């Protein structure tokens, strides 16, 4: 972990338009200011997947103002935990960082009905991550 009292987590997927946006939104929502959250993509899309925005709105999380961001070396270096979601070899590796690879279906091109189970699995994993970090999830 960094010397900061607040752990930092980076979520990475290819387009930063679905899985990583959902994970970042849940971690921000449930972890609040007790964790620093970033997300990025190795080849970011122009916009966040509308079905992802809708699926999160159903659980009262608004990401309609979010935009995909490009993955930078600095983002990886300044994060304590890097969680990859299907970005393959495009994710830079730095010794000493904690890496997790979450195998999740890609919501790209899917409707909201197909995104809901992915959303729910991401929420479950985020709650587990918070527990590992010793952070109590917000109600």
């Amino acid at each position: 972990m960094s010397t900061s009292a607040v752990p930092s987590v980076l979520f990475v997927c290819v387009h930063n338009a679905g899985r990583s946006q959902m994970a970042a939104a849940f971690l921000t929502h449930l972890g609040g200011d007790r964790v620093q959250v970033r997300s990025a993509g190795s080849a970011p899309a122009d916009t966040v997947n509308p079905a992802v925005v809708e699926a999160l709105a159903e659980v009262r999380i608004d990401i309609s103002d979010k935009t995909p961001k490009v993955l930078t070396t600095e983002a990886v270096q300044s994060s304590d935990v890097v969680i990859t979601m299907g970005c393959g070899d495009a994710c830079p590796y730095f010794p000493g960082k904690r890496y997790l690879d979450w195998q999740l279906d890609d919501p790209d091109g899917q409707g909201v009905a197909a995104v809901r189970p992915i959303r729910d699995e991401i929420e479950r994993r985020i709650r587990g991550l918070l527990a590992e970090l010793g952070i109590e999830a917000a109600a």
Side-chain angles (χ1 to χ4, degrees):
M1 291 288 196
S2 70
T3 56
S4 169
V6 176
S8 60
V9 179
L10 170 65
F11 296 100
V12 183
C13 66
V14 175
H15 301 297
N16 190 223
R19 295 167 287 189
S20 57
Q21 289 283 348
M22 284 191 281
F26 271 116
L27 188 55
T28 299
H29 180 73
L30 296 170
D33 61 1
R34 296 161 296 168
V35 63
Q36 184 180 41
V37 182
R38 298 179 181 90
S39 71
S42 54
D46 293 328
T47 60
V48 174
N49 180 333
V52 167
V53 173
E54 183 179 343
L56 285 175
E58 291 176 353
V59 294
R60 295 181 289 288
I61 298 176
D62 180 12
I63 64 163
S64 61
D65 63 340
K66 300 297 182 194
T67 56
K69 295 169 198 63
V70 68
L71 177 64
T72 64
T73 300
E74 294 78 25
V76 177
Q77 288 177 322
S78 61
S79 297
D80 296 310
V81 181
V82 179
I83 299 175
T84 59
M85 303 171 166
C87 66
D89 294 337
C91 295
Y93 177 81
F94 293 96
K97 294 287 172 195
R98 179 177 177 206
Y99 287 86
L100 300 172
D101 185 45
W102 288 359
Q103 297 293 318
L104 297 160
D105 290 337
D106 190 346
D108 188 35
Q110 303 293 320
V112 72
V115 173
R116 285 182 190 117
I118 302 167
R119 173 201 66 199
D120 295 345
E121 176 61 15
I122 289 173
E123 179 183 10
R124 185 188 70 73
R125 291 182 189 205
I126 292 297
R127 288 182 181 279
L129 177 65
L130 284 167
E132 286 178 31
L133 295 172
I135 299 170
E136 187 174 338

